[in-house]
Coordinates of all heavy atoms in Angstrom, one line a residue:
M482 N 17.1 9.9 14.0 CA 16.7 8.6 14.6 C 17.9 7.9 15.2 O 19.0 8.0 14.7 CB 16.0 7.7 13.6 CG 14.7 8.2 13.1 SD 13.9 6.9 12.1 CE 14.3 7.5 10.5
M483 N 17.7 7.2 16.3 CA 18.7 6.5 17.0 C 18.4 5.0 16.9 O 17.3 4.6 17.2 CB 18.8 6.9 18.4 CG 19.0 8.3 18.7 SD 19.0 8.7 20.4 CE 18.8 7.2 21.3
P484 N 19.4 4.2 16.5 CA 19.2 2.7 16.6 C 19.3 2.2 18.1 O 20.1 2.7 18.8 CB 20.3 2.1 15.8 CG 21.4 3.2 15.8 CD 20.7 4.5 16.0
I485 N 18.3 1.3 18.4 CA 18.3 0.7 19.7 C 18.9 -0.7 19.6 O 19.9 -1.0 20.2 CB 16.9 0.6 20.3 CG1 16.3 2.0 20.5 CG2 17.0 -0.1 21.7 CD1 14.9 2.0 20.9
K486 N 18.2 -1.5 18.8 CA 18.7 -2.8 18.4 C 18.7 -2.8 16.9 O 18.4 -1.8 16.3 CB 17.7 -3.9 18.9 CG 17.7 -4.0 20.4 CD 16.9 -5.2 20.8 CE 15.5 -4.8 21.3 NZ 14.7 -5.9 21.7
N487 N 18.9 -4.0 16.3 CA 19.0 -4.0 14.8 C 17.5 -3.9 14.3 O 17.4 -3.6 13.1 CB 19.6 -5.4 14.4 CG 21.1 -5.4 14.6 OD1 21.7 -4.3 14.7 ND2 21.6 -6.6 14.5
T488 N 16.5 -4.1 15.1 CA 15.2 -4.2 14.6 C 14.3 -3.0 15.1 O 13.1 -3.0 14.8 CB 14.5 -5.5 14.9 OG1 14.5 -5.7 16.4 CG2 15.2 -6.6 14.3
E489 N 14.9 -2.1 15.9 CA 14.1 -1.0 16.5 C 14.7 0.3 16.2 O 16.0 0.4 16.2 CB 13.8 -1.2 18.0 CG 12.9 -2.4 18.2 CD 12.6 -2.5 19.7 OE1 12.8 -1.5 20.5 OE2 12.1 -3.5 20.2
W490 N 13.9 1.3 16.2 CA 14.4 2.7 16.0 C 13.6 3.6 16.9 O 12.4 3.4 17.1 CB 14.3 3.3 14.6 CG 15.3 2.7 13.7 CD1 15.3 1.5 13.0 CD2 16.5 3.4 13.3 NE1 16.4 1.4 12.3 CE2 17.2 2.5 12.5 CE3 17.1 4.6 13.7 CZ2 18.4 2.8 11.9 CZ3 18.3 4.9 13.2 CH2 19.0 4.0 12.3
I491 N 14.2 4.7 17.5 CA 13.4 5.7 18.2 C 13.6 7.0 17.4 O 14.7 7.4 17.0 CB 14.0 5.9 19.6 CG1 13.9 4.7 20.5 CG2 13.3 7.1 20.2 CD1 14.5 4.9 21.8
T492 N 12.4 7.5 17.0 CA 12.5 8.8 16.3 C 12.8 10.0 17.2 O 12.9 9.8 18.5 CB 11.1 9.1 15.6 OG1 10.1 9.1 16.6 CG2 10.8 8.0 14.5
E493 N 13.0 11.1 16.7 CA 13.4 12.3 17.5 C 12.3 12.7 18.5 O 12.7 13.2 19.5 CB 13.7 13.5 16.6 CG 14.9 13.2 15.7 CD 15.1 14.3 14.6 OE1 14.3 15.2 14.5 OE2 16.1 14.2 13.9
D494 N 11.1 12.3 18.2 CA 10.1 12.6 19.2 C 9.9 11.5 20.2 O 8.9 11.6 21.0 CB 8.7 12.9 18.5 CG 8.3 11.8 17.6 OD1 9.0 10.9 17.4 OD2 7.2 12.0 17.0
G495 N 10.8 10.5 20.2 CA 10.7 9.4 21.2 C 9.8 8.3 21.0 O 9.6 7.4 21.8
V496 N 9.3 8.1 19.7 CA 8.4 7.0 19.4 C 9.3 5.8 19.0 O 10.2 6.0 18.2 CB 7.5 7.4 18.3 CG1 6.6 6.3 17.9 CG2 6.6 8.6 18.7
H497 N 8.9 4.7 19.5 CA 9.6 3.4 19.2 C 9.0 2.8 17.9 O 7.8 2.7 17.8 CB 9.6 2.4 20.3 CG 10.3 2.7 21.5 ND1 11.6 2.2 21.7 CD2 10.1 3.6 22.5 CE1 12.1 2.7 22.8 NE2 11.2 3.5 23.4
H498 N 9.8 2.3 17.0 CA 9.3 1.7 15.8 C 10.1 0.3 15.6 O 11.3 0.3 15.8 CB 9.6 2.5 14.6 CG 8.8 3.8 14.6 ND1 7.5 3.9 14.2 CD2 9.2 5.1 14.9 CE1 7.0 5.1 14.3 NE2 8.1 5.9 14.7
T499 N 9.4 -0.7 15.2 CA 10.0 -1.9 14.9 C 10.2 -2.0 13.4 O 9.2 -1.8 12.6 CB 9.2 -3.1 15.4 OG1 9.0 -2.9 16.8 CG2 9.8 -4.4 15.1
L500 N 11.4 -2.3 12.9 CA 11.7 -2.4 11.5 C 11.1 -3.7 10.9 O 11.0 -4.7 11.6 CB 13.2 -2.3 11.2 CG 13.9 -1.1 11.6 CD1 15.3 -1.2 11.4 CD2 13.2 0.1 11.0
A501 N 10.7 -3.6 9.6 CA 10.1 -4.8 9.0 C 11.3 -5.8 8.7 O 12.4 -5.4 8.4 CB 9.5 -4.4 7.7
S502 N 11.0 -7.0 8.8 CA 12.1 -8.0 8.5 C 12.4 -8.1 7.0 O 11.6 -7.7 6.2 CB 11.5 -9.4 9.0 OG 10.5 -9.8 8.2
P503 N 13.6 -8.6 6.7 CA 13.9 -8.7 5.2 C 12.9 -9.6 4.5 O 12.6 -9.3 3.3 CB 15.3 -9.4 5.3 CG 15.9 -9.0 6.6 CD 14.7 -8.9 7.5
G504 N 12.4 -10.6 5.2 CA 11.4 -11.5 4.6 C 10.1 -10.7 4.2 O 9.6 -10.9 3.1
K505 N 9.6 -9.8 5.1 CA 8.4 -9.0 4.8 C 8.7 -8.1 3.6 O 7.8 -7.9 2.7 CB 7.9 -8.3 6.0 CG 7.2 -9.1 7.0 CD 6.7 -8.3 8.1 CE 5.3 -7.9 7.9 NZ 4.7 -7.2 9.0
R506 N 9.9 -7.5 3.6 CA 10.2 -6.6 2.5 C 10.3 -7.3 1.2 O 9.8 -6.8 0.1 CB 11.5 -5.9 2.8 CG 11.5 -5.0 4.0 CD 12.8 -4.5 4.3 NE 12.9 -3.9 5.6 CZ 13.6 -2.9 6.0 NH1 14.4 -2.3 5.1 NH2 13.6 -2.4 7.2
I507 N 10.9 -8.6 1.2 CA 11.0 -9.3 -0.1 C 9.5 -9.7 -0.5 O 9.3 -9.7 -1.7 CB 11.8 -10.5 0.1 CG1 13.3 -10.1 0.3 CG2 11.7 -11.5 -1.0 CD1 14.3 -11.2 0.7
I508 N 8.7 -10.1 0.4 CA 7.3 -10.5 0.0 C 6.6 -9.3 -0.6 O 5.8 -9.4 -1.6 CB 6.6 -11.1 1.2 CG1 7.2 -12.4 1.5 CG2 5.1 -11.2 0.9 CD1 6.7 -13.0 2.9
A509 N 6.8 -8.1 0.0 CA 6.1 -6.9 -0.5 C 6.6 -6.6 -1.9 O 5.8 -6.2 -2.8 CB 6.4 -5.7 0.4
A510 N 7.9 -6.7 -2.2 CA 8.4 -6.5 -3.5 C 7.9 -7.5 -4.5 O 7.6 -7.2 -5.6 CB 9.9 -6.5 -3.5
A511 N 7.8 -8.8 -4.0 CA 7.2 -9.9 -4.9 C 5.7 -9.6 -5.2 O 5.3 -9.8 -6.3 CB 7.3 -11.2 -4.2
I512 N 5.0 -9.0 -4.2 CA 3.6 -8.7 -4.5 C 3.5 -7.6 -5.6 O 2.7 -7.7 -6.5 CB 2.9 -8.2 -3.2 CG1 2.7 -9.4 -2.3 CG2 1.6 -7.5 -3.5 CD1 2.2 -9.0 -0.9
N513 N 4.4 -6.6 -5.5 CA 4.4 -5.5 -6.5 C 4.8 -6.0 -7.8 O 4.1 -5.7 -8.8 CB 5.4 -4.4 -6.1 CG 4.9 -3.6 -5.0 OD1 3.8 -3.5 -4.7 ND2 5.9 -3.1 -4.2
F514 N 5.8 -6.9 -7.9 CA 6.1 -7.5 -9.2 C 5.1 -8.4 -9.7 O 4.7 -8.4 -10.9 CB 7.5 -8.3 -9.0 CG 7.9 -9.0 -10.3 CD1 8.5 -8.3 -11.3 CD2 7.7 -10.4 -10.4 CE1 8.8 -8.9 -12.5 CE2 8.0 -11.0 -11.6 CZ 8.6 -10.3 -12.7
G515 N 4.4 -9.2 -8.9 CA 3.4 -10.1 -9.2 C 2.2 -9.4 -9.8 O 1.6 -9.8 -10.8
L516 N 1.8 -8.3 -9.2 CA 0.7 -7.5 -9.6 C 1.0 -6.9 -11.0 O 0.1 -7.0 -11.9 CB 0.3 -6.4 -8.7 CG -0.4 -6.8 -7.4 CD1 -0.5 -5.6 -6.5 CD2 -1.8 -7.4 -7.7
A517 N 2.2 -6.4 -11.2 CA 2.5 -5.9 -12.5 C 2.5 -7.0 -13.6 O 2.0 -6.8 -14.7 CB 3.9 -5.2 -12.5
Y518 N 3.0 -8.2 -13.2 CA 3.0 -9.3 -14.2 C 1.6 -9.8 -14.5 O 1.3 -10.0 -15.6 CB 3.8 -10.5 -13.5 CG 3.9 -11.7 -14.5 CD1 4.7 -11.7 -15.5 CD2 3.1 -12.8 -14.2 CE1 4.8 -12.8 -16.4 CE2 3.1 -13.9 -15.0 CZ 4.0 -13.9 -16.1 OH 4.0 -15.0 -16.9
I519 N 0.7 -9.8 -13.5 CA -0.6 -10.3 -13.7 C -1.4 -9.2 -14.6 O -2.1 -9.6 -15.6 CB -1.4 -10.4 -12.4 CG1 -0.9 -11.7 -11.7 CG2 -2.9 -10.5 -12.6 CD1 -1.4 -11.8 -10.3
L520 N -1.2 -7.9 -14.4 CA -1.8 -6.9 -15.2 C -1.3 -7.0 -16.7 O -2.0 -6.9 -17.6 CB -1.6 -5.5 -14.6 CG -2.4 -5.2 -13.4 CD1 -2.0 -3.9 -12.8 CD2 -3.9 -5.2 -13.7
W521 N 0.0 -7.2 -16.8 CA 0.6 -7.3 -18.2 C 0.0 -8.5 -18.9 O -0.4 -8.4 -20.0 CB 2.1 -7.4 -18.1 CG 2.8 -7.7 -19.4 CD1 3.1 -8.9 -19.9 CD2 3.2 -6.8 -20.3 NE1 3.7 -8.8 -21.2 CE2 3.7 -7.5 -21.5 CE3 3.1 -5.4 -20.4 CZ2 4.2 -6.8 -22.6 CZ3 3.6 -4.8 -21.5 CH2 4.1 -5.5 -22.6
T522 N -0.1 -9.7 -18.2 CA -0.6 -10.9 -18.8 C -2.0 -10.7 -19.2 O -2.5 -11.1 -20.3 CB -0.4 -12.1 -17.9 OG1 1.0 -12.2 -17.5 CG2 -0.9 -13.3 -18.5
L523 N -2.9 -10.1 -18.3 CA -4.3 -9.9 -18.6 C -4.4 -8.9 -19.8 O -5.3 -9.2 -20.7 CB -5.0 -9.3 -17.4 CG -5.3 -10.2 -16.3 CD1 -5.9 -9.5 -15.1 CD2 -6.2 -11.4 -16.8
A524 N -3.6 -7.9 -19.9 CA -3.7 -6.9 -20.9 C -3.3 -7.6 -22.3 O -3.9 -7.3 -23.3 CB -2.8 -5.7 -20.7
V525 N -2.3 -8.5 -22.3 CA -1.9 -9.2 -23.5 C -3.0 -10.1 -24.0 O -3.3 -10.2 -25.2 CB -0.6 -10.0 -23.3 CG1 -0.3 -10.9 -24.4 CG2 0.5 -9.0 -23.1
F526 N -3.7 -10.8 -23.1 CA -4.8 -11.7 -23.5 C -6.1 -10.9 -23.9 O -6.8 -11.3 -24.8 CB -5.2 -12.6 -22.3 CG -4.2 -13.8 -22.3 CD1 -3.4 -13.9 -21.2 CD2 -4.0 -14.7 -23.3 CE1 -2.5 -15.0 -21.1 CE2 -3.1 -15.7 -23.3 CZ -2.3 -15.9 -22.2
I527 N -6.3 -9.8 -23.2 CA -7.5 -9.0 -23.5 C -7.3 -8.2 -24.9 O -8.2 -8.1 -25.7 CB -7.8 -8.0 -22.4 CG1 -8.3 -8.8 -21.2 CG2 -8.9 -7.0 -22.8 CD1 -8.5 -7.9 -19.9
F528 N -6.1 -7.7 -25.1 CA -5.8 -7.0 -26.3 C -4.7 -7.7 -27.0 O -3.5 -7.3 -27.0 CB -5.3 -5.5 -26.0 CG -6.2 -4.8 -25.1 CD1 -5.9 -4.6 -23.7 CD2 -7.4 -4.3 -25.6 CE1 -6.8 -3.9 -22.9 CE2 -8.3 -3.5 -24.8 CZ -7.9 -3.4 -23.4
P529 N -5.0 -8.8 -27.7 CA -4.0 -9.7 -28.4 C -3.4 -9.2 -29.7 O -2.9 -10.0 -30.4 CB -4.8 -11.0 -28.6 CG -6.2 -10.5 -28.8 CD -6.4 -9.3 -28.0
E530 N -3.4 -8.0 -29.9 CA -2.8 -7.5 -31.2 C -1.3 -7.6 -31.1 O -0.7 -6.9 -30.4 CB -3.3 -6.0 -31.4 CG -4.8 -5.9 -31.5 CD -5.3 -4.7 -32.2 OE1 -4.4 -4.1 -32.9 OE2 -6.4 -4.4 -32.1
E531 N -0.8 -8.4 -32.0 CA 0.7 -8.7 -31.9 C 1.5 -7.5 -32.4 O 2.6 -7.3 -32.0 CB 1.0 -9.9 -32.7 CG 0.3 -11.2 -32.1 CD 0.5 -12.3 -33.0 OE1 1.3 -12.3 -34.0 OE2 -0.1 -13.4 -32.8
D532 N 0.9 -6.7 -33.4 CA 1.7 -5.6 -34.0 C 1.7 -4.4 -33.1 O 2.4 -3.4 -33.4 CB 1.1 -5.3 -35.4 CG 1.3 -6.5 -36.3 OD1 2.2 -7.3 -36.1 OD2 0.5 -6.6 -37.3
N533 N 0.7 -4.3 -32.2 CA 0.6 -3.0 -31.4 C 0.6 -3.3 -29.9 O -0.5 -3.7 -29.4 CB -0.7 -2.3 -31.8 CG -0.8 -1.0 -31.2 OD1 0.0 -0.5 -30.6 ND2 -2.0 -0.4 -31.5
P534 N 1.7 -3.2 -29.3 CA 1.8 -3.4 -27.8 C 1.4 -2.3 -27.0 O 1.7 -2.2 -25.8 CB 3.2 -3.8 -27.6 CG 4.0 -2.9 -28.6 CD 3.0 -2.9 -29.8
T535 N 0.6 -1.3 -27.6 CA 0.3 -0.1 -26.8 C -0.6 -0.4 -25.6 O -0.3 0.2 -24.6 CB -0.5 0.9 -27.8 OG1 0.3 1.0 -28.9 CG2 -0.7 2.2 -27.1
M536 N -1.6 -1.2 -25.7 CA -2.5 -1.4 -24.6 C -1.9 -2.1 -23.4 O -2.0 -1.6 -22.2 CB -3.8 -2.2 -25.0 CG -4.7 -1.3 -25.9 SD -5.1 0.3 -25.2 CE -6.2 -0.2 -23.8
P537 N -1.1 -3.1 -23.6 CA -0.4 -3.7 -22.4 C 0.6 -2.7 -21.8 O 0.7 -2.6 -20.6 CB 0.4 -4.9 -23.0 CG -0.4 -5.3 -24.2 CD -0.9 -4.0 -24.8
L538 N 1.3 -1.9 -22.6 CA 2.2 -0.9 -22.1 C 1.4 0.2 -21.4 O 1.8 0.7 -20.3 CB 3.0 -0.3 -23.2 CG 4.1 -1.2 -23.8 CD1 4.8 -0.5 -24.9 CD2 5.1 -1.6 -22.7
A539 N 0.2 0.6 -21.9 CA -0.6 1.6 -21.2 C -1.1 1.0 -19.9 O -1.2 1.8 -18.9 CB -1.8 2.0 -22.1
T540 N -1.4 -0.2 -19.8 CA -1.8 -0.9 -18.6 C -0.7 -0.8 -17.6 O -1.0 -0.4 -16.4 CB -2.2 -2.3 -18.8 OG1 -3.2 -2.4 -19.8 CG2 -2.7 -3.0 -17.6
L541 N 0.5 -1.1 -17.9 CA 1.6 -0.9 -17.0 C 1.9 0.5 -16.6 O 2.3 0.8 -15.5 CB 2.9 -1.6 -17.6 CG 2.9 -3.1 -17.6 CD1 4.3 -3.6 -18.1 CD2 2.7 -3.7 -16.2
A542 N 1.7 1.4 -17.5 CA 1.8 2.8 -17.2 C 0.8 3.3 -16.2 O 1.2 4.0 -15.2 CB 1.7 3.7 -18.5
V543 N -0.4 2.8 -16.3 CA -1.5 3.2 -15.3 C -1.1 2.5 -13.9 O -1.2 3.2 -12.9 CB -2.8 2.7 -15.7 CG1 -3.8 2.8 -14.6 CG2 -3.3 3.5 -16.9
Y544 N -0.6 1.3 -13.9 CA -0.2 0.7 -12.7 C 1.0 1.4 -12.1 O 1.0 1.7 -10.9 CB 0.2 -0.8 -12.9 CG 0.8 -1.5 -11.7 CD1 0.0 -1.8 -10.7 CD2 2.1 -1.8 -11.6 CE1 0.4 -2.5 -9.5 CE2 2.6 -2.4 -10.5 CZ 1.8 -2.8 -9.4 OH 2.3 -3.4 -8.3
G545 N 1.9 1.8 -12.9 CA 3.1 2.6 -12.4 C 2.6 3.9 -11.8 O 3.2 4.4 -10.8
F546 N 1.7 4.6 -12.5 CA 1.1 5.9 -11.9 C 0.5 5.6 -10.6 O 0.6 6.4 -9.6 CB 0.1 6.4 -12.9 CG -0.6 7.7 -12.4 CD1 0.1 8.9 -12.4 CD2 -1.9 7.6 -11.9 CE1 -0.5 10.0 -11.9 CE2 -2.5 8.7 -11.4 CZ -1.8 10.0 -11.4
I547 N -0.3 4.6 -10.4 CA -0.9 4.2 -9.2 C 0.1 4.0 -8.1 O 0.0 4.5 -6.9 CB -1.9 3.0 -9.3 CG1 -3.1 3.4 -10.2 CG2 -2.4 2.5 -7.9 CD1 -4.0 2.2 -10.6
Q548 N 1.2 3.3 -8.4 CA 2.2 3.0 -7.5 C 2.9 4.3 -7.0 O 3.1 4.5 -5.8 CB 3.3 2.1 -8.0 CG 2.8 0.6 -8.1 CD 2.9 -0.1 -6.8 OE1 2.2 0.3 -5.8 NE2 3.6 -1.1 -6.7
V549 N 3.2 5.2 -8.0 CA 3.9 6.5 -7.7 C 2.9 7.3 -6.8 O 3.4 8.0 -5.8 CB 4.3 7.2 -9.0 CG1 4.7 8.6 -8.7 CG2 5.4 6.5 -9.6
W550 N 1.6 7.3 -7.2 CA 0.7 8.1 -6.4 C 0.6 7.6 -4.9 O 0.6 8.4 -4.0 CB -0.7 8.1 -7.0 CG -1.7 8.8 -6.2 CD1 -1.8 10.2 -6.1 CD2 -2.7 8.2 -5.4 NE1 -2.9 10.4 -5.2 CE2 -3.5 9.3 -4.8 CE3 -3.1 6.9 -5.1 CZ2 -4.5 9.0 -3.9 CZ3 -4.1 6.7 -4.3 CH2 -4.8 7.7 -3.7
L551 N 0.5 6.3 -4.8 CA 0.4 5.7 -3.4 C 1.7 6.0 -2.6 O 1.7 6.4 -1.5 CB 0.2 4.2 -3.5 CG -1.1 3.7 -3.8 CD1 -1.1 2.2 -4.0 CD2 -2.1 4.1 -2.7
M552 N 2.9 5.9 -3.3 CA 4.1 6.2 -2.6 C 4.2 7.7 -2.2 O 4.7 8.0 -1.1 CB 5.3 5.9 -3.5 CG 5.5 4.4 -3.7 SD 6.0 3.5 -2.2 CE 7.6 4.2 -1.8
S553 N 3.7 8.6 -3.0 CA 3.8 10.0 -2.6 C 2.7 10.4 -1.6 O 2.9 11.2 -0.8 CB 3.7 10.9 -3.9 OG 2.5 10.7 -4.5
A554 N 1.5 9.7 -1.8 CA 0.4 10.1 -0.9 C 0.5 9.5 0.5 O 0.2 10.1 1.5 CB -0.9 9.8 -1.5
K555 N 0.8 8.2 0.5 CA 0.8 7.4 1.7 C 2.1 6.8 2.2 O 2.3 6.3 3.2 CB -0.2 6.2 1.6 CG -1.6 6.7 1.4 CD -2.6 5.5 1.4 CE -4.0 6.0 1.1 NZ -4.8 6.0 2.3
G556 N 3.1 6.9 1.3 CA 4.4 6.4 1.6 C 4.5 4.9 1.5 O 5.4 4.2 2.0
Q557 N 3.5 4.3 0.9 CA 3.5 2.8 0.8 C 3.1 2.3 -0.7 O 2.3 3.0 -1.3 CB 2.4 2.2 1.7 CG 2.7 2.4 3.1 CD 1.5 1.9 4.0 OE1 0.4 2.3 3.8 NE2 1.8 0.9 4.8
S558 N 3.8 1.3 -1.1 CA 3.3 0.7 -2.4 C 2.2 -0.3 -2.0 O 1.9 -0.5 -0.9 CB 4.5 0.0 -3.1 OG 4.9 -1.1 -2.2
V559 N 1.7 -0.9 -3.1 CA 0.6 -1.9 -2.8 C 1.1 -3.0 -2.0 O 0.5 -3.5 -1.0 CB 0.0 -2.4 -4.1 CG1 -1.0 -3.5 -3.9 CG2 -0.6 -1.3 -5.0
G560 N 2.3 -3.5 -2.3 CA 2.9 -4.6 -1.5 C 3.2 -4.2 -0.1 O 2.9 -5.0 0.8
K561 N 3.7 -3.0 0.2 CA 4.0 -2.6 1.5 C 2.6 -2.4 2.3 O 2.5 -2.8 3.4 CB 4.7 -1.3 1.5 CG 6.1 -1.4 1.2 CD 6.8 -0.1 1.2 CE 8.3 -0.2 0.8 NZ 8.9 1.1 0.8
Y562 N 1.6 -1.9 1.6 CA 0.3 -1.8 2.2 C -0.2 -3.1 2.7 O -0.7 -3.3 3.8 CB -0.7 -1.1 1.3 CG -2.1 -0.9 1.9 CD1 -2.4 0.0 2.9 CD2 -3.1 -1.8 1.4 CE1 -3.7 0.1 3.3 CE2 -4.3 -1.7 2.0 CZ -4.6 -0.8 2.9 OH -5.9 -0.7 3.4
L563 N -0.2 -4.1 1.8 CA -0.7 -5.4 2.1 C 0.1 -6.1 3.2 O -0.5 -6.9 3.9 CB -0.8 -6.3 0.8 CG -1.8 -5.9 -0.2 CD1 -1.6 -6.7 -1.5 CD2 -3.2 -5.9 0.3
M564 N 1.4 -5.9 3.3 CA 2.2 -6.4 4.3 C 2.3 -5.6 5.6 O 3.0 -5.9 6.5 CB 3.7 -6.6 3.8 CG 3.7 -7.7 2.6 SD 3.1 -9.3 3.1 CE 4.3 -9.8 4.4
K565 N 1.5 -4.5 5.6 CA 1.5 -3.6 6.7 C 2.9 -3.1 7.1 O 3.2 -3.0 8.3 CB 0.8 -4.3 7.9 CG -0.6 -4.6 7.6 CD -1.3 -5.2 8.8 CE -2.7 -5.5 8.7 NZ -3.2 -6.4 7.7
I566 N 3.7 -2.6 6.1 CA 4.9 -2.0 6.3 C 4.8 -0.5 6.1 O 4.2 -0.1 5.1 CB 6.0 -2.5 5.3 CG1 6.2 -4.0 5.4 CG2 7.3 -1.8 5.4 CD1 7.1 -4.7 4.4
K567 N 5.3 0.2 7.1 CA 5.2 1.7 7.0 C 6.5 2.3 6.8 O 7.5 1.7 7.3 CB 4.6 2.2 8.3 CG 3.1 1.8 8.5 CD 2.5 2.4 9.8 CE 1.1 1.9 10.0 NZ 0.5 2.4 11.2
V568 N 6.5 3.4 6.2 CA 7.8 4.1 5.9 C 8.0 5.1 7.1 O 7.0 5.9 7.5 CB 7.8 4.9 4.6 CG1 9.0 5.7 4.4 CG2 7.7 3.9 3.5
I569 N 9.1 5.1 7.7 CA 9.4 6.0 8.8 C 10.2 7.2 8.3 O 11.2 7.1 7.7 CB 10.2 5.3 10.0 CG1 9.5 4.1 10.5 CG2 10.5 6.3 11.1 CD1 10.3 3.3 11.4
D570 N 9.7 8.4 8.5 CA 10.3 9.6 8.1 C 11.0 10.2 9.3 O 10.5 10.2 10.4 CB 9.3 10.6 7.5 CG 9.9 11.7 6.8 OD1 11.1 11.6 6.5 OD2 9.2 12.7 6.6
K571 N 12.2 10.8 9.1 CA 12.9 11.4 10.1 C 12.1 12.5 10.7 O 12.0 13.0 11.6 CB 14.2 12.0 9.7 CG 15.2 10.9 9.2 CD 16.5 11.5 8.8 CE 17.5 10.5 8.3 NZ 18.7 11.0 7.9

């Protein structure tokens, strides 16, 4: 890929791409963190057993699995998908 400006790239096949702004990237990361936090909080309230944190951890493990699956299948996390950020592959 060749840089044109700070915000654009041309891939080897000649396609122009505009890079996501730092603000959009930060918001996407905040969405990912926020979803994990909300799921953790819901799991703690739904399964309030103080001696056994297995269910909240299992909830985060499922969320992590979904994130990994989305990243490998589509190249996007939930936050990137919602912010319409695409990963450019060489």
Side-chain angles (χ1 to χ4, degrees):
M482 289 191 263
M483 300 176 6
I485 300 174
K486 294 189 252 177
N487 288 341
T488 60
E489 291 187 14
W490 283 85
I491 296 179
T492 56
E493 293 171 357
D494 56 356
V496 178
H497 289 263
H498 296 280
T499 302
L500 299 178
S502 68
K505 282 183 98 171
R506 294 175 194 213
I507 290 170
I508 291 170
I512 289 171
N513 289 334
F514 177 77
L516 286 173
Y518 180 77
I519 289 168
L520 287 175
W521 173 266
T522 303
L523 287 174
V525 167
F526 282 115
I527 292 171
F528 307 105
E530 302 202 14
E531 296 173 12
D532 296 336
N533 188 4
T535 306
M536 289 310 289
L538 290 176
T540 304
L541 283 183
V543 169
Y544 176 72
F546 176 77
I547 291 170
Q548 287 282 62
V549 168
W550 176 75
L551 283 172
M552 288 296 292
S553 64
K555 298 187 180 252
Q557 295 176 302
S558 64
V559 174
K561 285 180 183 177
Y562 176 77
L563 292 175
M564 293 302 297
K565 296 181 173 65
I566 297 175
K567 294 182 181 178
V568 176
I569 301 172
D570 191 16
K571 294 181 183 182

